[in-house]
Amino acid sequence: MRQIALNLLVPGMKLGKTVYGPNGETYLNAGVILNQRYINRLSARGYSSVYVEDRLLDGVEVDDVIRQETRVKAISGVRSILKDAKSNKRGIISQAAVTRTVNGILDELLDNPLAMVNLVDIRSRDDYLFGHCVNVCVLAVMTGITLGFRRDRLLTLGTGALLHDVGKVRVPPEILDKPEKLSAEEFEVVKKHTIYGRDILRQEDQEIAAIAYSHHERYNGEGYPEQAKHPGIKLFSQIVGVVDIFDAITSDRCYKNADHPRVALELLAGTGNWWFDAKVVNAFMENVAAYPTGTFIQINTGEVGIVMDTPKGQPFFPNVRILLDREYRIVKPYDFSTLSNGCGVNCVLDDITVTEMLKAEPKMGTP
Ligand SMILES: [Fe+2]
């Protein structure tokens, strides 16, 4: 199974993972054979990619770090928590609902310590904020586990992460969802979500309110709202800051297409002791594959293959199924560890390039 851009879908491909709508409702079930009508519908609803079954990855599952059911439940939970915060003047949120959601995520992550983020959480452009909150929670908790926090501290971190952008409910939607570049004045309004977030949350818990207030502060003082500097920025705010950037870069937004996780990780790798404490950046990076399962790559000895998985703690060293030799001749596929062979990755190849290379095999990508 692998992720494929919508514009590369052709009728006859088999959907690898169920596509959910913003409220957790099913749009299309895993296993459906796609036809043009389904493809048009996905496009109209703002999806830019889906997972399809692919015989090149026979027997390889792309598992999320939490169950799909937990993620869908968490996303609809966040939707109603934020709706309550918006409709209620004092912004009161249901602490019990939040704790239930975070505990569900925590249980699964603690049970699965070797999990590596390989899956791009596919969501429609229109559904950014709720999915983003859940993803930030998942990634922040994984980083906290790597840093060795106890369960009660992980619960606080996960809660702050889930609610880090709650202040956005007070930012006018026409600014929040504006597809064009924001004016300087509009950006000042968006920045206020940190202050609104603190105001909403401080009646619940000071530490969680501080995460919402400070998740855009940066180690070198370039952040907001206070331009705080190291060592004045709490660890939890920095963790949420790092994962917030990762999720924003790797997501489709109303004003841009998603970038590849490798791009986000390379950017973040350069932010240690500049935007964030290096130990936070390093702990986060241990959990995320730069080349998710199903990515076509060329290794630095010239061979071309498709990523199978990535060992925990080694984001840039995937295990690859080699398909073409260094002269781009089709070979009998074999599995290759870049880590144990001391190889790096040269580049990511797009589907069109590899399809061309494999044109002796015209059925690639179809079930
Ligand atoms: Fe934010």
Side-chain angles (χ1 to χ4, degrees):
M1 191 191 311
R2 66 194 175 86
Q3 191 188 12
I4 183 167
L6 226 59
N7 60 347
L8 297 177
L9 283 180
V10 290
M13 286 181 169
K14 188 177 186 181
L15 197 62
K17 281 198 177 285
T18 299
V19 178
Y20 293 95
N23 293 311
E25 73 279 21
T26 301
Y27 273 168
L28 278 178
N29 275 312
V32 157
I33 306 294
L34 293 170
N35 57 29
Q36 198 55 51
R37 195 167 56 90
Y38 288 153
I39 296 170
N40 295 346
R41 231 164 76 184
L42 287 165
S43 169
R45 286 187 162 148
Y47 294 90
S48 70
S49 64
V50 291
Y51 280 87
V52 293
E53 296 289 354
D54 189 334
R55 66 187 180 79
L56 293 174
L57 282 168
D58 260 355
V60 177
E61 276 304 308
V62 189
D63 289 325
D64 195 351
V65 289
I66 57 171
R67 286 179 303 133
Q68 185 81 39
E69 189 194 331
T70 309
R71 187 180 285 278
V72 168
K73 235 159 107 183
I75 290 174
S76 67
V78 170
R79 175 180 283 272
S80 62
I81 290 162
L82 297 196
K83 212 170 124 201
D84 285 355
K86 191 171 190 162
S87 57
N88 185 313
K89 273 222 160 59
R90 290 194 300 139
I92 289 173
I93 52 164
S94 159
Q95 199 60 36
V98 175
T99 305
R100 212 172 32 241
T101 302
V102 179
N103 266 326
I105 290 171
L106 251 178
D107 285 342
E108 290 190 25
L109 293 177
L110 286 168
D111 271 356
N112 198 3
L114 290 179
M116 192 77 175
V117 176
N118 253 301
L119 188 81
V120 179
D121 171 35
I122 290 178
R123 50 189 181 240
S124 141
R125 275 166 215 276
D126 311 332
D127 192 29
Y128 175 72
L129 185 57
F130 313 112
H132 171 69
C133 293
V134 173
N135 231 12
V136 166
C137 175
V138 168
L139 296 171
V141 169
M142 290 181 87
T143 309
I145 293 172
T146 302
L147 287 167
F149 291 119
R150 292 191 321 263
R151 185 175 177 118
D152 60 327
R153 303 301 298 141
L154 293 173
L155 182 61
T156 303
L157 170 62
T159 306
L162 192 76
L163 299 174
H164 74 286
D165 269 345
V166 69
K168 285 192 174 165
V169 301
R170 294 194 185 164
V171 175
E174 58 276 19
I175 295 182
L176 212 52
D177 302 326
K178 188 176 167 184
E180 299 86 35
K181 197 176 180 323
L182 296 181
S183 68
E185 297 76 40
E186 287 167 334
F187 189 47
E188 288 308 312
V189 176
V190 171
K191 282 174 162 181
K192 286 195 180 143
H193 78 278
T194 51
I195 298 162
Y196 299 146
R198 176 201 57 191
D199 294 348
I200 291 169
L201 295 168
R202 70 173 153 200
Q203 41 204 318
E204 314 284 343
D205 184 303
Q206 291 295 338
E207 202 177 2
I208 291 166
I211 294 174
Y213 185 64
S214 305
H215 69 276
H216 286 284
E217 299 288 8
R218 299 292 177 252
Y219 193 93
N220 62 359
E222 283 184 357
Y224 63 87
E226 282 190 6
Q227 289 82 49
K229 278 187 182 166
H230 178 76
I233 310 165
K234 298 247 170 57
L235 211 51
F236 282 4
S237 298
Q238 294 198 52
I239 294 172
V240 172
V242 169
V243 304
D244 184 27
I245 290 179
F246 177 81
D247 191 64
I249 294 176
T250 55
S251 301
D252 285 321
R253 301 294 305 274
C254 49
Y255 53 85
K256 70 154 187 84
N257 286 334
D259 272 312
H260 196 273
R262 174 190 55 100
V263 174
L265 285 191
E266 281 176 356
L267 182 140
L268 284 169
T271 63
N273 290 350
W274 178 245
W275 276 359
F276 305 102
D277 189 327
K279 80 168 180 239
V280 173
V281 178
N282 294 339
F284 165 68
M285 291 188 42
E286 283 197 23
N287 293 289
V288 184
Y291 308 98
T293 303
T295 306
F296 288 117
I297 57 166
Q298 180 175 46
I299 58 176
N300 61 4
T301 45
E303 288 86 353
V304 170
I306 188 164
V307 174
M308 310 291 288
D309 59 16
T310 300
K312 181 91 174 177
Q314 299 291 346
F316 292 102
F317 293 96
N319 297 317
V320 189
R321 182 162 292 167
I322 301 292
L323 305 170
L324 299 167
D325 68 12
R326 62 190 69 179
E327 312 291 335
Y328 302 138
R329 288 175 304 218
I330 294 172
V331 294
K332 188 165 183 288
Y334 61 95
D335 293 351
F336 182 85
S337 157
T338 55
L339 185 65
S340 41
N341 287 288
C343 286
V345 174
N346 228 1
C347 58
V348 172
L349 298 167
D350 62 49
D351 286 46
I352 296 173
T353 307
V354 179
T355 307
E356 276 296 303
M357 289 170 165
L358 289 166
K359 60 184 166 207
E361 304 239 337
K363 286 188 184 149
M364 192 206 64
T366 58

